[in-house]
Short mmCIF file of all heavy atoms in Angstrom, two decimals:
data_model
loop_
_atom_site.label_atom_id
_atom_site.label_comp_id
_atom_site.label_asym_id
_atom_site.label_seq_id
_atom_site.Cartn_x
_atom_site.Cartn_y
_atom_site.Cartn_z
N ALA A 965 -69.94 6.48 -14.54
CA ALA A 965 -68.92 6.30 -15.53
C ALA A 965 -67.52 6.01 -14.96
O ALA A 965 -67.22 6.40 -13.82
CB ALA A 965 -68.82 7.54 -16.42
N SER A 966 -66.74 5.29 -15.69
CA SER A 966 -65.34 4.99 -15.32
C SER A 966 -64.51 6.27 -15.37
O SER A 966 -64.50 6.98 -16.38
CB SER A 966 -64.80 3.94 -16.28
OG SER A 966 -63.39 4.13 -16.50
N THR A 967 -63.84 6.53 -14.30
CA THR A 967 -62.98 7.77 -14.26
C THR A 967 -61.79 7.59 -15.28
O THR A 967 -61.43 8.51 -15.98
CB THR A 967 -62.46 7.97 -12.84
OG1 THR A 967 -63.54 8.12 -11.95
CG2 THR A 967 -61.62 9.26 -12.76
N GLY A 968 -61.22 6.38 -15.29
CA GLY A 968 -60.11 6.15 -16.23
C GLY A 968 -60.54 6.34 -17.66
O GLY A 968 -59.83 7.09 -18.43
N THR A 969 -61.63 5.77 -18.07
CA THR A 969 -62.06 5.94 -19.47
C THR A 969 -62.42 7.36 -19.77
O THR A 969 -62.21 7.84 -20.89
CB THR A 969 -63.24 4.92 -19.72
OG1 THR A 969 -62.81 3.64 -19.40
CG2 THR A 969 -63.67 4.97 -21.21
N THR A 970 -63.06 8.01 -18.84
CA THR A 970 -63.45 9.41 -19.03
C THR A 970 -62.23 10.27 -19.24
O THR A 970 -62.13 11.08 -20.21
CB THR A 970 -64.28 9.90 -17.84
OG1 THR A 970 -65.40 9.09 -17.68
CG2 THR A 970 -64.76 11.34 -18.12
N LEU A 971 -61.20 10.15 -18.33
CA LEU A 971 -60.00 10.91 -18.44
C LEU A 971 -59.30 10.63 -19.79
O LEU A 971 -58.74 11.53 -20.44
CB LEU A 971 -59.06 10.54 -17.32
CG LEU A 971 -59.27 11.19 -15.93
CD1 LEU A 971 -58.46 10.46 -14.92
CD2 LEU A 971 -58.93 12.64 -15.96
N PHE A 972 -59.21 9.32 -20.07
CA PHE A 972 -58.45 8.90 -21.27
C PHE A 972 -59.14 9.45 -22.50
O PHE A 972 -58.44 10.09 -23.39
CB PHE A 972 -58.42 7.36 -21.28
CG PHE A 972 -57.43 6.80 -22.29
CD1 PHE A 972 -56.12 6.54 -21.89
CD2 PHE A 972 -57.82 6.63 -23.62
CE1 PHE A 972 -55.19 6.04 -22.86
CE2 PHE A 972 -56.90 6.13 -24.53
CZ PHE A 972 -55.60 5.87 -24.17
N GLY A 973 -60.39 9.27 -22.63
CA GLY A 973 -61.11 9.71 -23.85
C GLY A 973 -61.05 11.24 -24.01
O GLY A 973 -60.79 11.74 -25.15
N ALA A 974 -61.26 12.02 -22.91
CA ALA A 974 -61.23 13.43 -23.00
C ALA A 974 -59.83 13.93 -23.38
O ALA A 974 -59.69 14.85 -24.21
CB ALA A 974 -61.62 14.02 -21.67
N SER A 975 -58.80 13.27 -22.91
CA SER A 975 -57.43 13.69 -23.18
C SER A 975 -57.01 13.34 -24.58
O SER A 975 -56.19 14.06 -25.24
CB SER A 975 -56.46 13.09 -22.19
OG SER A 975 -56.83 13.40 -20.92
N VAL A 976 -57.55 12.25 -25.12
CA VAL A 976 -57.26 11.88 -26.54
C VAL A 976 -57.90 12.99 -27.43
O VAL A 976 -57.28 13.51 -28.37
CB VAL A 976 -57.80 10.51 -26.93
CG1 VAL A 976 -57.82 10.34 -28.43
CG2 VAL A 976 -56.98 9.42 -26.29
N SER A 977 -59.14 13.32 -27.19
CA SER A 977 -59.78 14.24 -28.13
C SER A 977 -59.32 15.67 -27.97
O SER A 977 -59.05 16.35 -28.91
CB SER A 977 -61.31 14.07 -28.09
OG SER A 977 -61.86 14.98 -27.21
N GLY A 978 -59.09 16.12 -26.73
CA GLY A 978 -58.52 17.44 -26.47
C GLY A 978 -57.12 17.58 -27.02
O GLY A 978 -56.77 18.61 -27.67
N GLY A 979 -56.31 16.58 -26.78
CA GLY A 979 -54.91 16.56 -27.24
C GLY A 979 -54.80 16.56 -28.75
O GLY A 979 -54.00 17.32 -29.29
N ALA A 980 -55.66 15.79 -29.42
CA ALA A 980 -55.58 15.76 -30.87
C ALA A 980 -56.02 17.12 -31.41
O ALA A 980 -55.37 17.64 -32.36
CB ALA A 980 -56.53 14.64 -31.41
N GLN A 981 -57.05 17.69 -30.91
CA GLN A 981 -57.47 19.03 -31.38
C GLN A 981 -56.34 20.02 -31.22
O GLN A 981 -56.01 20.81 -32.13
CB GLN A 981 -58.71 19.51 -30.64
CG GLN A 981 -59.18 20.87 -31.05
CD GLN A 981 -60.33 21.43 -30.23
OE1 GLN A 981 -61.29 20.65 -29.94
NE2 GLN A 981 -60.27 22.71 -29.87
N ALA A 982 -55.66 20.01 -30.07
CA ALA A 982 -54.63 20.97 -29.77
C ALA A 982 -53.44 20.80 -30.72
O ALA A 982 -52.74 21.74 -31.04
CB ALA A 982 -54.19 20.92 -28.35
N LEU A 983 -53.21 19.57 -31.17
CA LEU A 983 -52.03 19.30 -31.99
C LEU A 983 -52.36 19.29 -33.49
O LEU A 983 -51.53 18.97 -34.32
CB LEU A 983 -51.41 17.96 -31.59
CG LEU A 983 -50.80 17.94 -30.17
CD1 LEU A 983 -50.11 16.65 -29.88
CD2 LEU A 983 -49.90 19.12 -29.91
N GLY A 984 -53.64 19.64 -33.80
CA GLY A 984 -54.01 19.86 -35.20
C GLY A 984 -54.17 18.55 -36.03
O GLY A 984 -53.95 18.56 -37.24
N VAL A 985 -54.56 17.51 -35.36
CA VAL A 985 -54.82 16.19 -36.08
C VAL A 985 -56.10 15.59 -35.61
O VAL A 985 -56.69 15.97 -34.66
CB VAL A 985 -53.68 15.18 -35.79
CG1 VAL A 985 -52.35 15.67 -36.42
CG2 VAL A 985 -53.50 14.92 -34.30
N ALA A 986 -56.60 14.57 -36.41
CA ALA A 986 -57.71 13.78 -35.95
C ALA A 986 -57.20 12.73 -34.95
O ALA A 986 -56.10 12.21 -35.12
CB ALA A 986 -58.32 13.03 -37.17
N GLY A 987 -57.99 12.53 -33.89
CA GLY A 987 -57.56 11.57 -32.89
C GLY A 987 -58.53 10.39 -32.86
O GLY A 987 -59.56 10.39 -33.52
N GLY A 988 -58.13 9.41 -32.05
CA GLY A 988 -59.04 8.26 -31.82
C GLY A 988 -58.92 7.20 -32.96
O GLY A 988 -58.28 7.47 -33.99
N ILE A 989 -59.51 6.04 -32.70
CA ILE A 989 -59.46 4.95 -33.72
C ILE A 989 -60.66 5.18 -34.66
O ILE A 989 -61.73 4.72 -34.42
CB ILE A 989 -59.52 3.61 -33.07
CG1 ILE A 989 -58.34 3.43 -32.05
CG2 ILE A 989 -59.52 2.45 -34.05
CD1 ILE A 989 -58.38 2.11 -31.19
N SER A 990 -60.37 5.93 -35.74
CA SER A 990 -61.40 6.25 -36.68
C SER A 990 -60.83 6.40 -38.11
O SER A 990 -59.62 6.65 -38.26
CB SER A 990 -62.18 7.53 -36.26
OG SER A 990 -61.20 8.58 -36.09
N VAL A 991 -61.69 6.19 -39.08
CA VAL A 991 -61.23 6.20 -40.48
C VAL A 991 -60.61 7.53 -40.82
O VAL A 991 -61.21 8.61 -40.48
CB VAL A 991 -62.40 5.86 -41.46
CG1 VAL A 991 -62.04 6.03 -42.86
CG2 VAL A 991 -62.88 4.38 -41.16
N GLY A 992 -59.46 7.49 -41.42
CA GLY A 992 -58.80 8.78 -41.83
C GLY A 992 -57.75 9.20 -40.83
O GLY A 992 -56.82 9.91 -41.22
N ALA A 993 -57.84 8.72 -39.57
CA ALA A 993 -56.87 9.18 -38.55
C ALA A 993 -55.60 8.32 -38.75
O ALA A 993 -55.65 7.20 -39.31
CB ALA A 993 -57.44 8.91 -37.15
N SER A 994 -54.46 8.86 -38.34
CA SER A 994 -53.23 8.09 -38.34
C SER A 994 -53.44 6.87 -37.39
O SER A 994 -54.08 6.93 -36.40
CB SER A 994 -52.10 8.94 -37.78
OG SER A 994 -50.94 8.23 -37.73
N ALA A 995 -52.87 5.74 -37.83
CA ALA A 995 -52.98 4.47 -37.02
C ALA A 995 -51.95 4.58 -35.87
O ALA A 995 -50.88 4.00 -35.90
CB ALA A 995 -52.70 3.28 -37.88
N ASP A 996 -52.37 5.35 -34.85
CA ASP A 996 -51.59 5.51 -33.61
C ASP A 996 -52.37 4.75 -32.50
O ASP A 996 -53.42 5.12 -32.10
CB ASP A 996 -51.51 6.99 -33.24
CG ASP A 996 -50.82 7.83 -34.35
OD1 ASP A 996 -50.31 7.24 -35.35
OD2 ASP A 996 -50.76 9.07 -34.16
N LEU A 997 -51.76 3.60 -32.08
CA LEU A 997 -52.52 2.63 -31.29
C LEU A 997 -51.65 2.16 -30.11
O LEU A 997 -50.43 2.10 -30.22
CB LEU A 997 -52.96 1.43 -32.09
CG LEU A 997 -53.70 1.72 -33.40
CD1 LEU A 997 -53.67 0.44 -34.29
CD2 LEU A 997 -55.10 2.16 -33.11
N ILE A 998 -52.36 1.81 -29.03
CA ILE A 998 -51.75 1.15 -27.89
C ILE A 998 -52.41 -0.19 -27.67
O ILE A 998 -53.68 -0.23 -27.84
CB ILE A 998 -51.98 1.97 -26.60
CG1 ILE A 998 -51.43 3.39 -26.68
CG2 ILE A 998 -51.49 1.26 -25.36
CD1 ILE A 998 -51.93 4.34 -25.57
N SER A 999 -51.66 -1.30 -27.41
CA SER A 999 -52.38 -2.46 -26.96
C SER A 999 -51.98 -2.78 -25.55
O SER A 999 -50.86 -2.64 -25.17
CB SER A 999 -52.13 -3.66 -27.94
OG SER A 999 -50.93 -4.20 -27.71
N LEU A 1000 -52.98 -3.22 -24.74
CA LEU A 1000 -52.75 -3.57 -23.37
C LEU A 1000 -52.55 -5.05 -23.29
O LEU A 1000 -53.04 -5.87 -24.08
CB LEU A 1000 -53.98 -3.20 -22.51
CG LEU A 1000 -54.29 -1.70 -22.48
CD1 LEU A 1000 -55.53 -1.46 -21.55
CD2 LEU A 1000 -53.10 -0.88 -21.96
N ASP A 1001 -51.76 -5.46 -22.26
CA ASP A 1001 -51.53 -6.86 -21.98
C ASP A 1001 -52.55 -7.36 -20.96
O ASP A 1001 -52.46 -7.05 -19.82
CB ASP A 1001 -50.11 -6.98 -21.42
CG ASP A 1001 -49.78 -8.40 -20.92
OD1 ASP A 1001 -50.60 -9.29 -21.20
OD2 ASP A 1001 -48.80 -8.53 -20.24
N PRO A 1002 -53.54 -8.11 -21.45
CA PRO A 1002 -54.62 -8.52 -20.51
C PRO A 1002 -54.13 -9.47 -19.51
O PRO A 1002 -54.78 -9.81 -18.49
CB PRO A 1002 -55.64 -9.16 -21.45
CG PRO A 1002 -54.87 -9.57 -22.64
CD PRO A 1002 -53.72 -8.68 -22.79
N ASP A 1003 -52.85 -10.02 -19.69
CA ASP A 1003 -52.30 -10.99 -18.69
C ASP A 1003 -51.44 -10.24 -17.63
O ASP A 1003 -50.93 -10.89 -16.69
CB ASP A 1003 -51.41 -12.01 -19.46
CG ASP A 1003 -52.22 -12.90 -20.33
OD1 ASP A 1003 -53.43 -13.18 -19.94
OD2 ASP A 1003 -51.76 -13.34 -21.37
N HIS A 1004 -51.31 -8.96 -17.84
CA HIS A 1004 -50.60 -8.18 -16.72
C HIS A 1004 -51.39 -8.38 -15.47
O HIS A 1004 -52.59 -8.31 -15.45
CB HIS A 1004 -50.48 -6.70 -17.09
CG HIS A 1004 -49.66 -5.91 -16.10
ND1 HIS A 1004 -50.26 -5.45 -14.93
CD2 HIS A 1004 -48.41 -5.58 -16.09
CE1 HIS A 1004 -49.30 -4.82 -14.25
NE2 HIS A 1004 -48.14 -4.90 -14.99
N ILE A 1005 -50.67 -8.48 -14.37
CA ILE A 1005 -51.30 -8.83 -13.10
C ILE A 1005 -52.43 -7.82 -12.71
O ILE A 1005 -53.45 -8.18 -12.15
CB ILE A 1005 -50.24 -9.03 -11.98
CG1 ILE A 1005 -50.84 -9.72 -10.77
CG2 ILE A 1005 -49.57 -7.78 -11.61
CD1 ILE A 1005 -51.27 -11.17 -11.02
N ALA A 1006 -52.18 -6.55 -13.02
CA ALA A 1006 -53.18 -5.53 -12.66
C ALA A 1006 -54.45 -5.65 -13.48
O ALA A 1006 -55.51 -5.09 -13.10
CB ALA A 1006 -52.61 -4.08 -12.85
N MET A 1007 -54.43 -6.42 -14.57
CA MET A 1007 -55.64 -6.57 -15.39
C MET A 1007 -56.47 -7.76 -15.01
O MET A 1007 -57.59 -7.98 -15.56
CB MET A 1007 -55.18 -6.75 -16.87
CG MET A 1007 -54.35 -5.60 -17.43
SD MET A 1007 -55.36 -4.11 -17.58
CE MET A 1007 -54.09 -2.85 -17.58
N THR A 1008 -55.96 -8.56 -14.12
CA THR A 1008 -56.62 -9.84 -13.75
C THR A 1008 -58.12 -9.56 -13.31
O THR A 1008 -58.38 -8.72 -12.50
CB THR A 1008 -55.91 -10.49 -12.52
OG1 THR A 1008 -54.57 -10.56 -12.86
CG2 THR A 1008 -56.53 -11.88 -12.27
N GLY A 1009 -59.02 -10.29 -13.98
CA GLY A 1009 -60.47 -10.21 -13.63
C GLY A 1009 -61.16 -8.93 -14.06
O GLY A 1009 -62.28 -8.65 -13.72
#
Side-chain angles (χ1 to χ4, degrees):
S966 147
T967 303
T969 304
T970 305
L971 280 168
F972 192 92
S975 303
V976 166
S977 93
Q981 180 184 315
L983 297 185
V985 293
I989 301 176
S990 53
V991 172
S994 178
D996 298 356
L997 307 164
I998 300 168
S999 78
L1000 298 181
D1001 172 12
D1003 294 327
H1004 185 277
I1005 195 67
M1007 301 291 158
T1008 309

